[in-house]
Amino acid sequence: MSYLIENKAQVVYSTHDSESGKLSITKYQILKETDKYSLVSVDLQTGTKNQIRVHMADEKHPIVGDTKYGNDQKKYQRMALHALAIKFQHPFNGKTMEFQTDIQSFISGLVGGYELV
């Protein structure tokens, strides 16, 4: 948990100042680990711009391929951030919208494969 704020250069960062930042809560669970990478499940309790990227970088576990908040030294074909499932209330009709997909092979390949149970 932290308060997130965006600067003029459009970089989001954490602060403990509740007056200037927006409360942001991210829960995560490690699903699989290797010596280099971890596959995690992230549950957003709030929705703030770049919340996952900032919070994981704050924990010293940046998203693979994230050149803005992560490790600029390692280049990957894309950022290894993928929504397996998303659920939200439609802003106009209030209906619950829910979507699911498979883990991208690029992401599961980083940890030697992963089967959802």
Side-chain angles (χ1 to χ4, degrees):
M1 177 186 94
S2 69
Y3 296 89
L4 297 183
I5 187 169
E6 186 173 7
N7 66 20
K8 291 180 181 180
Q10 297 182 325
V11 175
V12 179
Y13 62 93
S14 292
T15 180
H16 294 291
D17 181 4
S18 62
E19 297 294 318
S20 62
K22 181 177 178 183
L23 178 64
S24 302
I25 303 169
T26 303
K27 294 183 179 182
Y28 68 94
Q29 175 185 5
I30 298 171
L31 301 176
K32 185 172 181 181
E33 292 180 283
T34 69
D35 59 335
K36 290 186 175 184
Y37 305 108
S38 298
L39 180 66
V40 297
S41 173
V42 178
D43 184 12
L44 297 176
Q45 302 297 299
T46 57
T48 306
K49 180 180 177 180
N50 294 334
Q51 178 176 326
I52 296 171
R53 296 167 70 187
V54 173
H55 280 171
M56 295 310 291
D58 285 350
E59 294 291 319
K60 306 294 187 243
H61 297 291
I63 306 296
V64 171
D66 186 350
T67 58
K68 186 170 184 177
Y69 297 101
N71 185 348
D72 289 335
Q73 305 304 313
K74 294 184 178 181
K75 303 292 184 205
Y76 295 90
Q77 62 190 21
R78 60 167 281 219
M79 191 178 346
L81 181 60
H82 175 73
L84 181 65
I86 186 168
K87 181 177 177 182
F88 58 91
Q89 298 299 118
H90 192 282
F92 298 115
N93 63 25
K95 291 183 181 178
T96 299
M97 306 294 291
E98 188 169 359
F99 304 93
Q100 291 184 319
T101 187
D102 295 326
I103 294 177
Q104 298 292 301
S105 60
F106 162 65
I107 295 171
S108 64
L110 291 172
V111 292
Y114 185 78
E115 287 289 324
L116 292 175
V117 283

